Amino acid sequence: MGSTSAEYNGTGGVGRRDLIKRSAALGLISVPTMSFLSACASSGGDGGGEKAKAGKKTAKNPLGVNETAGMEFVLFDGGFGKEYAEDAVKIYEKNFPEAKVKFSATQKIQSTLQPRFNQGTPPDLIDNSGAEQMDMGVLVGKNQLADLTPLLDAPSYDDPAKKVRDTLRPGIVEMGQFDGDPFWIMYYAYTVYGVWYSQKALDSLDEQYPETWDQMLAVCEKAKKKGMAGWTYAGKYPYYLPFSLYPMIAKVGGREVLDSIDNLEPNAWKHPAVKTCFEAYYELQQKGYVLKGTPGLDHIQSQTAWAQGKALFIPNGSWVENESANVIPKDFGLAVSAPTGIDSSDKMPFGTIWASGGEPFVVPAKAKNGTGGMEQLRIMLSEASSKNFTSKVKSLTAYNGGTDGITLTPGLKSGVAALDKAGENVVNPRIQDWYVQLQKEQIGVSGLGEMMAGRLTPAEAIKKIQGFADAAAKDTSIKHYKHQ
Amino acid sequence: MQHGKYRFIVGFLALPLGLYALFVVWPFIQSIYYSFTDWTGLSPEFKMVGLDNYRRMLDDEIFWKSLQHSLIFAVVLPLVTISLALFFAFMINVGGRRRRGGPVISGVRGSSFYKIVYFFPQVLSIAIVALLFAFAYNPDSGAINSILRGVGLDSVQPLWLGDPDLALWAVMAVLVWSTVGFFVVLFSAGMASIPADLYEAALLDGANRSTTFFRITLPLLWDTVQSGWVYMGILALGAESFAVVQIMTTGPGGPDYSTTVMVLYVYQKAFRDGQAAYATTIGVALLVVTLAFAALVMRLGRRERLEF
């Protein structure tokens, strides 16, 4: 900056030019966002107070919670709100009247909690979710999370003869593990992914949900004639496409195909099933069955267009019912289906669906009262708390069951039906939580997004994605996982 | 009388310099230090890794893309914004037709109204502007494509933010729209301080508008233009480009990384991928780019100061 200032032989006062120059200098200084980043780490050290002493294990207190120790719970205040957690906290307070519970809800999980992890004074229970989710792989890799196995092996809240482990929906336990047995993350919500549609719109076309791809194309053609697009998706976030595409790949080629993709095996994407499914989706685009302009829409915009009846199908997760509640018409007949396959030669039956945990709860390794955090989770996994959650936020929980006796909304009902139909055929691709950047940016946006916008052929997309996967497999800066 | 002078100066400077060192210089040093570690940002433990982060950065395709986009921002944005602002400011202040009985130098009709119109976007937060334009760019129901349809251009329905060839330019256009007003006002202030007799003399000699602009206005305004250039370039490298890219092409930075800029990449690495050390490395690169940019503009723009 000093190159001109020497010429300045001021006649007193600060001129306009200098003012601007100085503000420019200030701007220059504040540019690197990194400066405030580093403010967090410097206060490091072993920090933290002493851990709470273990309490006495009894039938009512199987984890041995210290009845007088405080417990701090930080919740992500997102689509599910905070009421369900507040209700569960009340139960904890009732069970341990001497314990002081500090409950808070925030959308800024990372900015609130990152400094506390760096100082070694994290809270006792965290709902690590939302846009500011902290990277689980890094937290596990740096030994920042507590193993929740004691919780899994504790008697369940409702039935002392049953372990918590046995009350959970399929996939929940595996999802909470990374490598080996330790169980790091308790996913509390249970999401059904698939193809969402309006039963009313299908009825108006005199059609059923298509089970084979030929039927799918026929339905789309019929819709097109009526001025309706077959599909739309979150074009700016094409990583919504896998919600129906991955289970379709599993259906066509078998579970192992998805597993080898998750394991980043060489040539995993070159499996014929992947190619078949990519070509099927590409055909939708080529035949003009995708709503015009879709690649420029974000998730809200595409969901709105779909709810307005501009498109028949959208790949999405069960949160869409809550998220789009204000744009979905009353008589919409919201329903979800397992993805359409190719034909009867597919390896898995129609009904194969992606369902898995959502809303990840963790107990930090350095928490003062981690046992208290686990006890809070045990309370939340009771039938009563689970029902409370489902009826309040239209989503299932990790607790298997808990839907009897409550009125289910249309989408939820159809989700439960889809799970029943799927039975054992629930798949759970882990690439989504293992390799966030690979899944979202590279496979999603640069691969699938470009293909569905018609800028890449399926063969080119596969080649590109395989390249990304190979690079991720070689990248030593990310931790790699394998299916057990 | 000289006695005690230095003590006096030191006494006045100690506090601001101390604050500056603590809140500006120290974080810089820390950041550079962290770029040599493997700090995740999620745990207090880290170790030194030497130049690993820098080596990785040189091999990182996305880093090069983001650098390229940042450079386009830093060159194109000031060029367009400042040219436009100069033109508008000239028309508002000097470019008007001479009216009977009016002042010798005046702007076009309604110039005070235009000044407000141009400045208006400046009062809106960049986040709001970005959101508004994200809706306008909606290819399905957005304002821009609706207008195109309205004038019969049904066949021209670009995807805007969904098209890798257009996204970066679409984002830049928003920044031009939102910042040009500031420079109009800035240059207007500069032009107001140019003595009217210079213009009168030029008019008497029969100079037309463009001659007046290039021979009188621009040379006398040069310092302001240069400072504005640096200021705009820094905005374009830093906060503003981050805001529009993050909000409008959300997530990964446009289709196929077409809008990823360096600040966005810093943010993603630090707060999404848990790679704070690598993020600080990119931050250091950004610092170097910004300093080089400022130095270059200052050097290229160096010229005689005109006294008036």
Side-chain angles (χ1 to χ4, degrees), chain A residues 197-212:
Chain A
Y197 61 95
S198 154
Q199 189 60 52
K200 191 187 160 208
L202 268 190
D203 288 347
S204 75
L205 294 171
D206 276 329
E207 285 287 349
Q208 295 290 311
Y209 183 85
E211 296 197 6
T212 69

PDB file of all heavy atoms in Angstrom, chain A residues 197-212:
ATOM      1  N   TYR A 197     -44.687 -38.350  -4.512  1.00  0.00           N
ATOM      2  CA  TYR A 197     -45.647 -37.965  -5.543  1.00  0.00           C
ATOM      3  C   TYR A 197     -47.007 -37.669  -4.931  1.00  0.00           C
ATOM      4  O   TYR A 197     -47.234 -37.901  -3.741  1.00  0.00           O
ATOM      5  CB  TYR A 197     -45.761 -39.072  -6.593  1.00  0.00           C
ATOM      6  CG  TYR A 197     -46.248 -40.396  -6.044  1.00  0.00           C
ATOM      7  CD1 TYR A 197     -47.606 -40.738  -6.107  1.00  0.00           C
ATOM      8  CD2 TYR A 197     -45.360 -41.290  -5.470  1.00  0.00           C
ATOM      9  CE1 TYR A 197     -48.047 -41.943  -5.589  1.00  0.00           C
ATOM     10  CE2 TYR A 197     -45.797 -42.495  -4.958  1.00  0.00           C
ATOM     11  CZ  TYR A 197     -47.139 -42.824  -5.011  1.00  0.00           C
ATOM     12  OH  TYR A 197     -47.582 -44.009  -4.495  1.00  0.00           O
ATOM     13  N   SER A 198     -47.906 -37.175  -5.780  1.00  0.00           N
ATOM     14  CA  SER A 198     -49.269 -36.907  -5.360  1.00  0.00           C
ATOM     15  C   SER A 198     -50.164 -38.014  -5.898  1.00  0.00           C
ATOM     16  O   SER A 198     -50.244 -38.221  -7.110  1.00  0.00           O
ATOM     17  CB  SER A 198     -49.716 -35.554  -5.907  1.00  0.00           C
ATOM     18  OG  SER A 198     -51.117 -35.526  -6.039  1.00  0.00           O
ATOM     19  N   GLN A 199     -50.827 -38.711  -4.987  1.00  0.00           N
ATOM     20  CA  GLN A 199     -51.729 -39.781  -5.406  1.00  0.00           C
ATOM     21  C   GLN A 199     -52.830 -39.203  -6.291  1.00  0.00           C
ATOM     22  O   GLN A 199     -53.250 -39.809  -7.268  1.00  0.00           O
ATOM     23  CB  GLN A 199     -52.331 -40.471  -4.171  1.00  0.00           C
ATOM     24  CG  GLN A 199     -53.111 -41.731  -4.477  1.00  0.00           C
ATOM     25  CD  GLN A 199     -52.240 -42.799  -5.171  1.00  0.00           C
ATOM     26  OE1 GLN A 199     -51.161 -43.143  -4.698  1.00  0.00           O
ATOM     27  NE2 GLN A 199     -52.695 -43.294  -6.322  1.00  0.00           N
ATOM     28  N   LYS A 200     -53.234 -37.986  -5.957  1.00  0.00           N
ATOM     29  CA  LYS A 200     -54.307 -37.346  -6.724  1.00  0.00           C
ATOM     30  C   LYS A 200     -53.889 -37.138  -8.175  1.00  0.00           C
ATOM     31  O   LYS A 200     -54.657 -37.403  -9.105  1.00  0.00           O
ATOM     32  CB  LYS A 200     -54.627 -35.992  -6.078  1.00  0.00           C
ATOM     33  CG  LYS A 200     -55.881 -35.352  -6.603  1.00  0.00           C
ATOM     34  CD  LYS A 200     -56.031 -33.949  -6.046  1.00  0.00           C
ATOM     35  CE  LYS A 200     -56.961 -33.132  -6.908  1.00  0.00           C
ATOM     36  NZ  LYS A 200     -56.629 -31.707  -6.816  1.00  0.00           N
ATOM     37  N   ALA A 201     -52.646 -36.685  -8.355  1.00  0.00           N
ATOM     38  CA  ALA A 201     -52.170 -36.450  -9.717  1.00  0.00           C
ATOM     39  C   ALA A 201     -52.087 -37.755 -10.496  1.00  0.00           C
ATOM     40  O   ALA A 201     -52.456 -37.814 -11.671  1.00  0.00           O
ATOM     41  CB  ALA A 201     -50.806 -35.768  -9.677  1.00  0.00           C
ATOM     42  N   LEU A 202     -51.623 -38.824  -9.826  1.00  0.00           N
ATOM     43  CA  LEU A 202     -51.550 -40.119 -10.503  1.00  0.00           C
ATOM     44  C   LEU A 202     -52.939 -40.605 -10.871  1.00  0.00           C
ATOM     45  O   LEU A 202     -53.166 -41.121 -11.974  1.00  0.00           O
ATOM     46  CB  LEU A 202     -50.865 -41.149  -9.601  1.00  0.00           C
ATOM     47  CG  LEU A 202     -49.357 -41.326  -9.732  1.00  0.00           C
ATOM     48  CD1 LEU A 202     -48.905 -42.543  -8.954  1.00  0.00           C
ATOM     49  CD2 LEU A 202     -48.939 -41.461 -11.186  1.00  0.00           C
ATOM     50  N   ASP A 203     -53.887 -40.420  -9.947  1.00  0.00           N
ATOM     51  CA  ASP A 203     -55.266 -40.835 -10.212  1.00  0.00           C
ATOM     52  C   ASP A 203     -55.824 -40.096 -11.427  1.00  0.00           C
ATOM     53  O   ASP A 203     -56.525 -40.680 -12.245  1.00  0.00           O
ATOM     54  CB  ASP A 203     -56.153 -40.553  -8.991  1.00  0.00           C
ATOM     55  CG  ASP A 203     -55.847 -41.512  -7.855  1.00  0.00           C
ATOM     56  OD1 ASP A 203     -55.153 -42.518  -8.112  1.00  0.00           O
ATOM     57  OD2 ASP A 203     -56.281 -41.247  -6.710  1.00  0.00           O
ATOM     58  N   SER A 204     -55.481 -38.812 -11.525  1.00  0.00           N
ATOM     59  CA  SER A 204     -56.021 -38.024 -12.628  1.00  0.00           C
ATOM     60  C   SER A 204     -55.477 -38.520 -13.961  1.00  0.00           C
ATOM     61  O   SER A 204     -56.049 -38.255 -15.019  1.00  0.00           O
ATOM     62  CB  SER A 204     -55.701 -36.543 -12.433  1.00  0.00           C
ATOM     63  OG  SER A 204     -54.347 -36.318 -12.728  1.00  0.00           O
ATOM     64  N   LEU A 205     -54.363 -39.241 -13.927  1.00  0.00           N
ATOM     65  CA  LEU A 205     -53.809 -39.809 -15.162  1.00  0.00           C
ATOM     66  C   LEU A 205     -54.252 -41.257 -15.354  1.00  0.00           C
ATOM     67  O   LEU A 205     -53.832 -41.928 -16.304  1.00  0.00           O
ATOM     68  CB  LEU A 205     -52.275 -39.776 -15.125  1.00  0.00           C
ATOM     69  CG  LEU A 205     -51.571 -38.423 -15.130  1.00  0.00           C
ATOM     70  CD1 LEU A 205     -50.085 -38.613 -14.873  1.00  0.00           C
ATOM     71  CD2 LEU A 205     -51.771 -37.720 -16.459  1.00  0.00           C
ATOM     72  N   ASP A 206     -55.069 -41.738 -14.406  1.00  0.00           N
ATOM     73  CA  ASP A 206     -55.460 -43.147 -14.425  1.00  0.00           C
ATOM     74  C   ASP A 206     -54.274 -44.069 -14.340  1.00  0.00           C
ATOM     75  O   ASP A 206     -54.179 -45.058 -15.066  1.00  0.00           O
ATOM     76  CB  ASP A 206     -56.225 -43.484 -15.726  1.00  0.00           C
ATOM     77  CG  ASP A 206     -57.679 -43.138 -15.577  1.00  0.00           C
ATOM     78  OD1 ASP A 206     -58.170 -43.228 -14.437  1.00  0.00           O
ATOM     79  OD2 ASP A 206     -58.288 -42.731 -16.579  1.00  0.00           O
ATOM     80  N   GLU A 207     -53.335 -43.743 -13.494  1.00  0.00           N
ATOM     81  CA  GLU A 207     -52.126 -44.556 -13.431  1.00  0.00           C
ATOM     82  C   GLU A 207     -51.846 -44.997 -12.006  1.00  0.00           C
ATOM     83  O   GLU A 207     -52.298 -44.392 -11.048  1.00  0.00           O
ATOM     84  CB  GLU A 207     -50.921 -43.749 -13.951  1.00  0.00           C
ATOM     85  CG  GLU A 207     -50.869 -43.585 -15.462  1.00  0.00           C
ATOM     86  CD  GLU A 207     -50.491 -44.872 -16.184  1.00  0.00           C
ATOM     87  OE1 GLU A 207     -50.065 -45.836 -15.513  1.00  0.00           O
ATOM     88  OE2 GLU A 207     -50.638 -44.912 -17.429  1.00  0.00           O
ATOM     89  N   GLN A 208     -51.082 -46.065 -11.915  1.00  0.00           N
ATOM     90  CA  GLN A 208     -50.534 -46.521 -10.643  1.00  0.00           C
ATOM     91  C   GLN A 208     -49.089 -46.079 -10.585  1.00  0.00           C
ATOM     92  O   GLN A 208     -48.518 -45.728 -11.612  1.00  0.00           O
ATOM     93  CB  GLN A 208     -50.568 -48.057 -10.592  1.00  0.00           C
ATOM     94  CG  GLN A 208     -51.945 -48.634 -10.597  1.00  0.00           C
ATOM     95  CD  GLN A 208     -52.654 -48.359  -9.288  1.00  0.00           C
ATOM     96  OE1 GLN A 208     -52.097 -48.593  -8.225  1.00  0.00           O
ATOM     97  NE2 GLN A 208     -53.870 -47.830  -9.349  1.00  0.00           N
ATOM     98  N   TYR A 209     -48.478 -46.166  -9.408  1.00  0.00           N
ATOM     99  CA  TYR A 209     -47.057 -45.886  -9.363  1.00  0.00           C
ATOM    100  C   TYR A 209     -46.328 -46.955 -10.184  1.00  0.00           C
ATOM    101  O   TYR A 209     -46.535 -48.146  -9.979  1.00  0.00           O
ATOM    102  CB  TYR A 209     -46.520 -45.872  -7.919  1.00  0.00           C
ATOM    103  CG  TYR A 209     -45.064 -45.506  -7.911  1.00  0.00           C
ATOM    104  CD1 TYR A 209     -44.684 -44.181  -7.914  1.00  0.00           C
ATOM    105  CD2 TYR A 209     -44.083 -46.488  -7.992  1.00  0.00           C
ATOM    106  CE1 TYR A 209     -43.345 -43.826  -7.988  1.00  0.00           C
ATOM    107  CE2 TYR A 209     -42.750 -46.148  -8.062  1.00  0.00           C
ATOM    108  CZ  TYR A 209     -42.382 -44.815  -8.060  1.00  0.00           C
ATOM    109  OH  TYR A 209     -41.063 -44.475  -8.151  1.00  0.00           O
ATOM    110  N   PRO A 210     -45.490 -46.557 -11.148  1.00  0.00           N
ATOM    111  CA  PRO A 210     -44.854 -47.522 -12.057  1.00  0.00           C
ATOM    112  C   PRO A 210     -43.806 -48.383 -11.362  1.00  0.00           C
ATOM    113  O   PRO A 210     -43.002 -47.864 -10.591  1.00  0.00           O
ATOM    114  CB  PRO A 210     -44.206 -46.633 -13.119  1.00  0.00           C
ATOM    115  CG  PRO A 210     -44.012 -45.324 -12.454  1.00  0.00           C
ATOM    116  CD  PRO A 210     -45.097 -45.171 -11.456  1.00  0.00           C
ATOM    117  N   GLU A 211     -43.821 -49.695 -11.682  1.00  0.00           N
ATOM    118  CA  GLU A 211     -42.854 -50.598 -11.053  1.00  0.00           C
ATOM    119  C   GLU A 211     -41.676 -50.911 -11.959  1.00  0.00           C
ATOM    120  O   GLU A 211     -40.610 -51.285 -11.489  1.00  0.00           O
ATOM    121  CB  GLU A 211     -43.541 -51.896 -10.614  1.00  0.00           C
ATOM    122  CG  GLU A 211     -44.585 -51.648  -9.539  1.00  0.00           C
ATOM    123  CD  GLU A 211     -44.986 -52.912  -8.797  1.00  0.00           C
ATOM    124  OE1 GLU A 211     -44.372 -53.963  -9.031  1.00  0.00           O
ATOM    125  OE2 GLU A 211     -45.915 -52.819  -7.979  1.00  0.00           O
ATOM    126  N   THR A 212     -41.861 -50.799 -13.251  1.00  0.00           N
ATOM    127  CA  THR A 212     -40.748 -51.027 -14.174  1.00  0.00           C
ATOM    128  C   THR A 212     -40.467 -49.733 -14.929  1.00  0.00           C
ATOM    129  O   THR A 212     -41.301 -48.822 -14.952  1.00  0.00           O
ATOM    130  CB  THR A 212     -41.066 -52.119 -15.204  1.00  0.00           C
ATOM    131  OG1 THR A 212     -42.071 -51.608 -16.082  1.00  0.00           O
ATOM    132  CG2 THR A 212     -41.542 -53.393 -14.553  1.00  0.00           C
TER     133      THR A 212
END
